[in-house]
Amino acid sequence: PAVNAYLEFLRSARAKFGEVVTAMGYWNPNASHSLQHDKWSVGWAGDAMLPIANYLYVLQSFGVDGDCLECGAFKGSSTACLSYVCKELGLTLHCADSFAGLPSSEGHYGKGDFAGARAEVESNVRRCGNIEAVNWIEGWYESSLQGFARPLAVIWMDVDLQQSVLDVMENVFPNLDRHGVIFSDGFSVGVDFTPDNRIALTGGEPAGFYRFFENRGIEVTAIPAGPKGMALILPRPDQTPWLRIYPERFEYLVKNL
């Protein structure tokens, strides 16, 4: 019965995430990114969100306490997906974003890229997800997340910039349960992961995580977590051996739902 309930949860989540993809499929009239990565408003949705849904369920089943923190909402597609999951599990989704785009330029990212006005994001989540499960945190991470005091099981970050990773982690990492996990965008297979499943010192988001953990002497495991550059980061991996679900096994599970 427990396995059946778990699989039914993933089936339901996958169906809902597919609906979000369809509903959020509109062109962004304010696209500004140099490579047009923000031209399509869907952003993160669909099967790409299943690894996070999976971990929220599994962590809760093992008695791990804590909510989900999302940093980087864009137009709200991942927010809508995770709001559905959090509502189903009785959790709160804390959505942190400037709602004014990126705070500065770095690499091929420009200041103001990936902006989604709060009214637009809230409208999308109300239309496609469960907005009652969301706590909104507006502002730049270095100040908006100061004093954040809620326990966390999962942190999901799509912040693009190295400094933004540091701003988030310096404020909220102490709130992450010792068995909690981090998901992040911005990781390329063969580039940002070392052969022994560590974070390579490259640039962007991976460099932010590398610097944060290296400066604190914290050992981490990092592996690809699905399509589109998502990474699964396990701080203190020696404490979470029973939570390791490797990508090829999860991909098999998703294909056979």
Side-chain angles (χ1 to χ4, degrees), residues 35 83-84 95 115 127 191 224 253:
L35 301 178
S83 70
Y84 169 81
C95 176
R127 181 168 56 94
V191 177
L253 176 64

Side-chain angles (χ1 to χ4, degrees), residues 1-245:
V3 173
N4 286 336
Y6 165 66
L7 292 175
E8 184 53 41
F9 167 81
L10 289 179
R11 289 190 189 99
S12 176
R14 188 186 200 189
K16 181 63 178 181
F17 297 172
E19 293 174 7
V20 174
V21 171
T22 300
M24 292 282 295
Y26 64 91
W27 296 110
N28 175 18
N30 301 312
S32 62
H33 185 253
S34 60
L35 301 178
Q36 296 190 316
H37 289 174
D38 60 346
K39 189 175 182 180
W40 192 239
S41 292
V42 167
W44 281 94
D47 284 358
M49 285 284 100
L50 279 172
I52 302 179
N54 170 76
Y55 262 85
L56 284 167
Y57 190 100
V58 172
L59 285 163
Q60 188 179 77
S61 75
F62 276 96
V64 175
D65 184 38
D67 293 328
C68 180
L69 171 66
E70 174 189 45
C71 296
F74 186 37
K75 301 296 185 180
S77 61
S78 62
T79 315
C81 292
L82 295 177
S83 70
Y84 169 81
V85 172
C86 287
K87 179 68 173 180
E88 290 293 301
L89 298 178
L91 303 173
T92 297
L93 172 63
H94 304 277
C95 176
D97 198 288
S98 68
F99 300 104
L102 300 180
S104 61
S105 298
E106 181 183 308
H108 58 72
Y109 295 106
K111 183 177 180 179
D113 285 350
F114 295 94
R118 180 165 171 175
E120 181 182 11
V121 175
E122 287 194 19
S123 174
N124 285 332
V125 176
R126 186 176 292 107
R127 181 168 56 94
C128 305
N130 286 306
I131 197 168
E132 60 271 22
V134 182
N135 171 45
W136 305 97
I137 303 174
E138 183 172 357
W140 306 118
Y141 300 133
E142 61 182 342
S143 56
S144 66
L145 292 174
Q146 284 187 13
F148 184 86
R150 294 292 295 270
L152 296 172
V154 172
I155 299 173
W156 155 236
M157 297 170 60
D158 182 8
V159 298
D160 299 316
L161 309 182
Q162 179 177 167
Q163 186 57 51
S164 293
V165 169
L166 292 169
D167 291 341
V168 172
M169 293 294 287
E170 287 167 0
N171 280 308
V172 305
F173 182 69
N175 301 81
L176 184 67
D177 188 274
R178 66 192 183 95
H179 295 304
V181 301
I182 301 167
F183 286 90
S184 177
D185 178 37
F187 283 72
S188 297
V189 176
V191 177
D192 299 308
F193 303 96
T194 67
D196 59 345
N197 296 326
R198 310 292 181 190
I199 299 172
L201 180 55
T202 51
E205 289 146 307
F209 285 109
Y210 180 95
R211 288 174 55 195
F212 179 84
F213 290 119
E214 185 72 13
N215 290 342
R216 288 158 180 78
I218 300 174
E219 182 182 356
V220 301
T221 291
I223 59 173
K228 298 174 62 176
M230 182 185 285
L232 167 61
I233 301 169
L234 299 176
R236 301 177 290 267
D238 58 309
Q239 297 184 14
T240 56
W242 39 270
L243 290 178
R244 296 182 188 177
I245 300 177

